[in-house]
Amino acid sequence: GTKEYKKVTLACIALSLIFILPLGLTEHQFGQEPVILVVSLLMLGVLVGPVQPINAELAVDVTFPSDETAVESVQQFGGNFCSALLVPVAGRAAKLDYTLLPNVPFLESDIRGDVILLMLGTTLTYVYYCGFNAPLRRSMADGD
C-alpha cells in the first residue's frame, strides 16, 4: 500500500531537531537574530504539526478493529499527561544555561536547558520510533 506513516514521521522528527536548536540560543550571533527564530518556529510548525494526525491514523490502523475514537482519546490523554509532567521539569531546565562552541567566536552561543531537554526528548522519540514495526491491521483487512 501507500501507507508511509513511519518514514514520514521519522523524517519530520529528524528535521525538527535542526529547527529546535535556534530556539535556545540566547546570545552571540544566532541568538540575536529574530529572523532565525521566526523561520525556526515556522519550520517546526510545518514539520511537527503533521506528526500527531499521522500517528493517530497509524494507531487506528495498528489497533484495528478497535474503536477509532477510543484509540485517539487514549493517544490524546497520554500526550497531555506527559506534557503536564514535563512542564515543571522544563521550567527548571529553562533556568540552566550552557555554552556551545566556546572556542569558535562566530559560532559561540549559549543554549538553555529546556531546549536541550526538548532535543533529548525528540532524539529519544526518534530512536524508539526506529524500532517500531507493528502490522497495519486495518490496511491488511482493506487489502491495501
Side-chain angles (χ1 to χ4, degrees), residues 56-106:
E57 267 307 302
L58 173 62
V60 168
D61 204 338
V62 167
T63 59
F64 180 82
S66 63
D67 179 52
E68 219 172 294
T69 305
V71 170
E72 291 178 3
S73 296
V74 167
Q75 186 185 39
Q76 193 68 45
F77 175 79
N80 291 344
F81 185 70
C82 289
S83 294
L85 293 177
L86 283 174
V87 166
V89 176
R92 285 194 178 162
K95 296 174 184 163
L96 304 173
D97 229 23
Y98 300 93
T99 302
L100 292 177
L101 305 170
N103 299 324
V104 185
F106 178 72

Side-chain angles (χ1 to χ4, degrees), residues 122-135:
T122 303
T123 303
L124 290 174
T125 301
Y126 183 88
V127 169
Y128 173 81
Y129 208 88
C130 281
F132 179 81
N133 200 15

Side-chain angles (χ1 to χ4, degrees), residues 10 15 75 102 114 116:
L10 286 172
L15 290 170
Q75 186 185 39
D114 57 338
I116 293 172

Side-chain angles (χ1 to χ4, degrees), residues 5-62:
Y5 301 118
K6 185 174 179 178
K7 187 190 299 185
V8 171
T9 299
L10 286 172
C12 287
I13 292 171
L15 290 170
S16 72
L17 279 168
I18 296 166
F19 297 102
I20 291 171
L21 183 62
L23 300 182
L25 301 178
T26 55
E27 294 179 20
H28 311 294
Q29 288 297 124
F30 294 118
Q32 301 299 321
E33 288 296 327
V35 171
I36 292 174
L37 178 64
V38 170
V39 168
S40 291
L41 288 171
L42 286 171
M43 289 307 297
L44 280 170
V46 167
L47 293 167
V48 178
V51 170
Q52 193 277 333
I54 288 169
N55 285 282
E57 267 307 302
L58 173 62
V60 168
D61 204 338
V62 167

